[in-house]
Amino acid sequence: MRRRHRLRHLALISAILLPWAAMTAAASLPIVIAHRGASGYLPEHTLPAKAMAHAMDADFIEQDVVLTRDGVPVVLHDIHLDATTDVATRFPDRARADGRYYAIDFSLEEIRSLRAQERLGSDGQAVYPGRFPAHTGNFRVPTLAEEIDLISGLDHSRQRRTGLYIELKGPRFHRNEGQDIALRVLEVLREKGYDQRTGQVFLQCFDDATLRYLRHDLQTPLPLIQLIADPGWGEDSAVDYAFLQTAAGLDEVARYADGIGPWLEQIYLGRDASGEAVLSDLVALAHARGLQVHPYTFRSDALPEGIESFTALLDLFLNQVGVDGLFTDFPDLAREFLQDRRQYRTQQ
Ligand code: G3P
Ligand code: CA
């Protein structure tokens, strides 16, 4: 089906099936989620990267969370410390048999003493060479509580209301280590007065069992996002990601979650022989069930094949596909794009 016909078809299905809530979401501007902060400019998940994202007027700022040995939620993407800190030089004899340094083997005090840095690949080279210079700067790994204090303080001084978008990393790994990451995160949110802020906090996870636990056992009222991975990435979940992308799978998701966070290449599938973008039906299927769609990760320095510019990528997802928000390492560029769109709408 050619793109225009396909989109018209999807729009018709959506118009018939979208419930009121989803209609409302679709009518408002999509949200900009600063992925690991303004991580295109400063090392991911450092407080400066979060302050910069705030200054760029991100709607939400993302926190990936793991636990320390003493059960404290810290903001770190990996369950390991080696790709984004100097742990290997500071504690050379603390690796496990696999050669990795696990955050859960270190106390908060030890993790606080590490220097956080731009992400390195297994070859020791910067994953994104055009970003903040590797091995440079005096950054730290923050706790979730410290980061909430920063965002809440900036909200006060800048007169804004910025959301938290918290991912629970490795919940099954943590459970095997005797820790309940969902419970620990909810405790911090309660302490900081964020546990009932349904319009200002999303909780996200690749593991469906953890989302069901949050909804049904811990009874959080916060909106939940089911992340969808590529099976090859080895995310910490037993869920069938192919099934999640079907109508039956999304029927299931709608029972415990409020939206999905797919990889953007599960929506944009490439180009056909005539050069048209090929799109999956994932967004229409999700919207038809009242689920929001927040794909990841939009990077101006790592474009998908067949996409000529970051603007073209944003145009495809925001103007043509119609997602409800997106995760980006460059929140300033997404904000600027949406601002232009708002002006365009005002002129109509
Ligand atoms: O949480 C959305 C997106 O961040 C998932 O990928 O690996 O960057 O946490 P990852
Ligand atoms: Ca994440």
Side-chain angles (χ1 to χ4, degrees):
M1 194 183 302
R2 289 180 64 81
R3 189 184 66 200
R4 200 175 309 126
H5 291 156
R6 184 189 182 88
L7 289 175
R8 201 175 297 139
H9 183 63
L10 294 182
L12 185 61
I13 292 173
S14 299
I16 294 167
L17 297 178
L18 272 176
W20 180 85
M23 285 284 202
T24 307
S28 56
L29 278 176
I31 56 170
V32 174
I33 308 155
H35 181 250
R36 312 183 197 176
S39 56
Y41 305 102
L42 280 160
E44 67 182 52
H45 286 321
T46 59
L47 291 184
K50 303 307 172 77
M52 191 171 193
H54 199 288
M56 289 172 166
D57 293 343
D59 298 302
F60 284 79
I61 298 178
E62 192 202 23
Q63 299 79 31
D64 291 311
V65 172
V66 304
L67 298 181
T68 65
R69 186 174 65 205
D70 22 7
V72 180
V74 290
V75 184
L76 189 73
H77 178 269
D78 306 348
I79 57 171
H80 312 114
L81 288 157
D82 25 298
T84 55
T85 77
D86 61 350
V87 66
T89 51
R90 294 288 321 292
F91 297 97
D93 56 349
R94 297 277 295 278
R96 289 192 184 183
D98 62 2
R100 306 300 302 268
Y101 296 82
Y102 288 74
I104 204 148
D105 293 338
F106 292 80
S107 67
L108 176 61
E109 194 183 342
E110 288 170 333
I111 288 179
R112 275 192 204 284
S113 76
L114 300 176
R115 205 187 63 198
Q117 62 193 17
E118 187 62 32
R119 175 172 289 273
L120 303 178
S122 52
D123 59 359
Q125 302 301 307
V127 172
Y128 299 100
R131 297 191 180 185
F132 199 89
H135 308 295
T136 309
N138 186 18
F139 305 103
R140 302 288 147 187
V141 175
T143 65
L144 177 60
E146 288 165 348
E147 179 157 335
I148 294 173
D149 284 345
L150 175 81
I151 292 171
S152 155
L154 283 169
D155 274 358
H156 179 76
S157 56
R158 296 190 65 236
Q159 291 291 292
R160 285 187 64 81
R161 191 166 171 273
T162 307
L164 311 177
Y165 209 123
I166 302 172
E167 181 180 350
L168 283 65
K169 286 290 186 188
R172 289 147 46 100
F173 165 81
H174 282 96
R175 198 168 281 283
N176 287 338
E177 297 286 328
Q179 300 267 16
D180 185 337
I181 189 170
L183 206 52
R184 296 283 89 81
V185 165
L186 287 185
E187 282 169 2
V188 173
L189 290 175
R190 197 172 309 122
E191 274 166 34
K192 296 295 174 188
Y194 275 71
D195 59 318
Q196 305 293 317
R197 296 196 196 184
T198 53
Q200 207 179 352
V201 185
F202 282 102
L203 297 176
Q204 44 162 342
C205 196
F206 283 107
D207 185 40
D208 63 321
T210 300
L211 293 171
R212 290 176 211 266
Y213 174 58
L214 279 160
R215 176 64 80 233
H216 302 310
D217 299 282
L218 301 179
Q219 301 211 330
T220 179
L222 298 173
L224 304 178
I225 300 295
Q226 171 70 63
L227 297 174
I228 307 178
D230 183 279
W233 299 341
E235 290 292 344
D236 188 19
S237 172
V239 74
D240 178 345
Y241 294 117
F243 174 66
L244 284 191
Q245 295 171 66
T246 65
L250 291 163
D251 282 343
E252 274 295 309
V253 173
R255 294 199 174 95
Y256 59 85
D258 303 275
I260 57 169
W263 180 32
L264 63 85
E265 295 197 28
Q266 288 162 338
I267 296 170
Y268 164 71
L269 306 177
R271 301 251 171 217
D272 65 17
S274 64
E276 290 284 340
V278 181
L279 303 172
S280 73
D281 56 2
L282 181 57
V283 176
L285 289 173
H287 279 169
R289 288 155 180 81
L291 293 166
Q292 298 178 60
V293 182
H294 300 158
Y296 60 89
T297 302
F298 291 72
R299 298 179 165 117
S300 66
D301 53 0
L303 296 171
E305 210 173 310
I307 301 290
E308 65 273 24
S309 68
F310 196 54
T311 303
L313 182 64
L314 294 175
D315 179 63
L316 178 65
F317 276 80
L318 294 172
N319 292 340
Q320 298 180 52
V321 174
V323 297
D324 307 293
L326 48 80
F327 289 87
T328 177
D329 295 0
F330 299 89
D332 55 333
L333 302 183
R335 170 61 59 228
E336 192 179 296
F337 183 90
L338 285 168
Q339 190 64 31
D340 288 350
R341 194 170 100 165
R342 187 183 288 126
Q343 282 162 7
Y344 172 77
R345 276 187 178 172
T346 310
Q347 288 160 12
Q348 294 299 294

